[in-house]
Amino acid sequence: MATPFTNFRIFWQSAYLSYKALFRWFSPISYASSKVIMPLFQLIFFTFLGTFATGAENAPFFLIGNSVLAVAINGIYGVSMTVGMERRQGTLPYLFGTPANRLFLFSGRAVVHIFDGMVGAGISLLAAVLIFRLDLSATNPLAFALTILITSASTAAMGLLLGSLSLVTLNVMFFNNTIYFLLLVLAGVNLPLEMLPGWARIISQGLPLTRGLAAARMIVAGSGLGDIWWLLVQELGIGAIYFTIGYIAFSLFEREAKKRGTLEAY
Amino acid sequence: MSQIQTSDTLILEITSSGKVGLGALLRAMFTAGWYNLKMMAIDWFVIFTVIVQPLLFAFLAVFLLKGKGAEFPLISIVVGSGMVGIWGGLLFSSAFNLEGERWIGSLEYIVASPTPLGPVITAKTASNVLTSFVSMSACYALAAALLRVPITIANIPAFLLAVLVALASLLCFGMLLAPLFAVNLMMTSWANALEFPVYILGGFLFPISLLPGWTNPLSYILAPYWACRAMRAAATGGEGMWAEISLSIAVMAILSAVYVILSFWLFRVVLRRLRERALLGMQ
Amino acid sequence: MSTICIKNIHHTYISKSGIFGRKRKEVEALKGISFTVNEGEIFGLLGPNGAGKTTMVKILITLLIPSSGSATVLGYNVVSDAAKLRPLIGFVLGGERGVYWRLSGRENLRYFADLYGIPPAESSKRISQLLELVGLSKRGDDKVEGYSRGMKQRLHIARCLLHNPRILFLDEPTLGLDPVGAREMRSLIKQFQEEGRTIFLTTHYMFEADELCDRVAVISKGTVAALDSPRELKRFVADLHVIECEVYGILPRQIERIKTIASVTDVAIRDEDGTQRVFIHTKEGGAAMPRVISILEDTRVGNINLREPTLEDAYVRLVGGEID
Ligand SMILES: Nc1ncnc2c1ncn2[C@@H]1O[C@H](COP(=O)(O)OP(=O)(O)OP(=O)(O)O)[C@@H](O)[C@H]1O
Ligand SMILES: [Mg+2]
């Protein structure tokens, strides 16, 4: 029978496994390429595009936006791929054969990526400071780190939802890419929310990252936790909603996948 | 027991060196490209790089750049985000076509056939690039019609010429990329890393004069940069249009020749390496 | 005349692992293989898992460059004349990989017909013929996705015959086929021989080698342990009898004790889900039987019998108890 202790173990085992999978998949070279080089050039591209379009004084807007977006590489791709990869390697049926608590199995997969995502954002921010001389003198580091942590967690919750999709579709990469690009365009990363047409603003309110990023911008501008706590609570709330939907979907899809026998299909 | 004989006389179109003749080569390339299209039509990843990503990019670019007015007209944005889509398609198909064959297990069968691998992969890449181009043109035409924003092309014959040369030289660039990716078998992530640098160096959505001077030579050796310049010149017209187009086309011709020569050499080196290390199949 | 001539082939796989690929691992898959294959014969390469059979085949079909040694096929060197050799040989690497699932069987064949430079006027007819040969005429226009494993394997057979090659290399052609499918595959292979082709095949099944092959090479741990006709190889164990028994849960200790019986030369075990089959080679006919029975006293034994040796027993003796 599952005791709290076994659940705890399942959680960490699951976390450990997804961490191992991450590093087997991403050898150091390819880890650098998708976690450092890709986000870095993305940051450079959008900063040049943004300053060309709207003036050099707006560089910090694009720098902060794209740095915070780096958490989504782990949150979206990393998290959903751990499930997808298990399917490809054929280990899913074994996992589902166990009576392990699904909630812990499920969330364990995300935890490593939440922290790795923070590292990613840190690397991008460092690049922004070194290359573009982003000014962080007014930033409260603790408040900023907390904001990044929460944002990373809420994108990882979205990633879990996408990951559970991979139980029923082989095209999860398509959804990953689409969501990632929606964040890029609609979450206030490269376009101020005020510039968006009404329908796009509605979408942006439903995405993770939107509020966390808004909070991060305020912190860089000198605000303290007292000014932004409400945004963080909302960001957490969004994350919790995606987590819940993801968890329900995971359970439903698990049953569906067992019925259709798609667990082993690749 | 069947009575079907399999040993009828059969004369293959093969030269004395053991390779297929030119006619047979073209036929094999056509079949490879055509079947690639058939298989791709149901690949969602392709749909993303070909349609979703460029449209989101165009949306972003239009919103950001609409304030620039005549300095960066709508058609420039369309050409630039179109290049984003084509480069994405070219990059990922060059990276994945060969790796895909390895995954399926067909690479060994292709390499052992008398048709050289390079043309087969190139034919597949060509069909990918052509689809990205066609589907994107259709998307922009549709979007312009729906939003009632006229997309004006200053000189249509010049534009078509520029498009044609641009596609050809991009394809030659793809021929160089395919064996490059095969040198390192973790190419998936390298493809990710190469996507944005070319958006930057290609000057698709902002001029490269904004970049530090030392990066300009890198732009100059990239066909995508000249492709974008030629198409943009033809689309926006103006006084120096033909000078700009001829310069771009001339450079693309030279670059393409270099790419192709390098590609032949690299394909040979890479194939030898794959044969030595037993990497043609998957263990 | 020898069609395939292999001289002192060595092959070492080098794989790199670990962070930054620092750890080098070397596997010496072939350690000096030499033999020849005659024109028109069916030649079988046998050996346990990892013996180097597939490695040998890949070298002969020009897909792998050996570390040292040389091999010629139809007089062409497999490394330096690879291009000239390729149109003359056909091969199947076993299993169901290597066909395009999203295309139909016919399209798969059309693609390879074009890669082999088969004139378009000929190819349609030839493709239909081959589909019929392998029993896929009715399913030829269906996507390969929906094919069973056996159908995919038969499609591979059709593919490898497209360009009418003089030599066929078949790596475990009956792996994973049901008994009927495997029998059909064997009769096709015999037909190909009758049509004048040389066939080089690898297999794990001794009765298959016995039934098909004119000559057999047994390789073990990268070297040739024996090379002869199945009949001669059987003579190698002619002085033996085999006690074959089916047991449920035999202990290593018991095997050790059986091995100490003076007349016993080899003991081999094969796992068959839930039960094990034990093969005991003995020099004095049934005399060892009572001792074996007494050793197995506490174990559940299915049936137990004494029989004449087969090619499989010769194989067991050659590779020293490894059966897979
Ligand atoms: N690409 C490779 N890289 C590294 N080692 C390899 C590679 N291919 C094979 N080996 C090793 O070389 C040895 C021989 O392998 P090979 O596949 O030739 O054996 P085999 O006789 O075909 O076995 P099986 O009966 O299992 O098919 C094995 O130890 C195997 O692990
Ligand atoms: Mg093998």
Side-chain angles (χ1 to χ4, degrees), chain C residues 4-48:
Chain C
I4 300 174
C5 188
I6 300 167
K7 281 200 199 108
N8 201 19
I9 290 271
H10 287 259
H11 191 76
T12 304
Y13 287 107
I14 297 166
S15 44
K16 292 189 177 143
S17 62
I19 300 179
F20 303 113
R22 290 255 180 74
K23 270 180 235 153
R24 256 168 79 101
K25 217 185 103 204
E26 297 195 357
V27 179
E28 213 180 342
L30 299 176
K31 305 171 189 165
I33 300 268
S34 305
F35 59 81
T36 58
V37 176
N38 301 326
E39 185 170 353
E41 75 178 340
I42 300 184
F43 187 92
L45 195 58
L46 309 184

Side-chain angles (χ1 to χ4, degrees), chain B residues 6 31 38 101 103 115, chain C residues 97 100 107 114-115 195 197:
Chain B
T6 64
T31 311
K38 274 189 127 172
E101 303 285 353
W103 264 74
T115 301
Chain C
R97 297 184 68 238
Y100 298 97
E107 285 167 333
D114 284 344
L115 289 181
E195 290 167 350
R197 294 178 221 277

Side-chain angles (χ1 to χ4, degrees), chain C residues 124-183:
Chain C
S124 298
K125 196 180 94 212
R126 191 158 175 84
I127 289 168
S128 298
Q129 243 176 10
L130 288 172
L131 280 172
E132 185 158 2
L133 175 82
V134 297
L136 286 176
S137 323
K138 285 208 194 72
R139 300 290 304 272
D141 293 312
D142 296 353
K143 288 229 169 72
V144 169
E145 254 166 358
Y147 283 18
S148 70
R149 184 184 179 119
M151 290 165 75
K152 282 178 214 143
Q153 258 163 296
R154 280 182 278 148
L155 183 62
H156 265 306
I157 292 288
R159 182 194 48 71
C160 82
L161 286 167
L162 275 168
H163 53 294
N164 196 15
R166 286 172 58 192
I167 307 187
L168 289 181
F169 293 86
L170 307 174
D171 194 10
E172 303 192 34
T174 56
L175 182 77
L177 295 184
D178 65 27
V180 178
R183 183 182 306 168

Side-chain angles (χ1 to χ4, degrees), chain C residues 224-235:
Chain C
V224 179
L227 193 161
D228 222 320
S229 65
R231 185 147 53 119
E232 288 301 312
L233 286 179
K234 273 185 271 188
R235 191 168 296 171

Side-chain angles (χ1 to χ4, degrees), chain A residues 4-24:
Chain A
F5 179 71
T6 50
N7 279 338
F8 190 69
R9 224 192 50 227
I10 289 163
F11 178 81
W12 283 111
Q13 207 167 352
S14 177
Y16 172 71
L17 279 179
S18 77
Y19 177 78
K20 252 181 66 177
L22 173 78
F23 279 93
R24 189 163 43 179

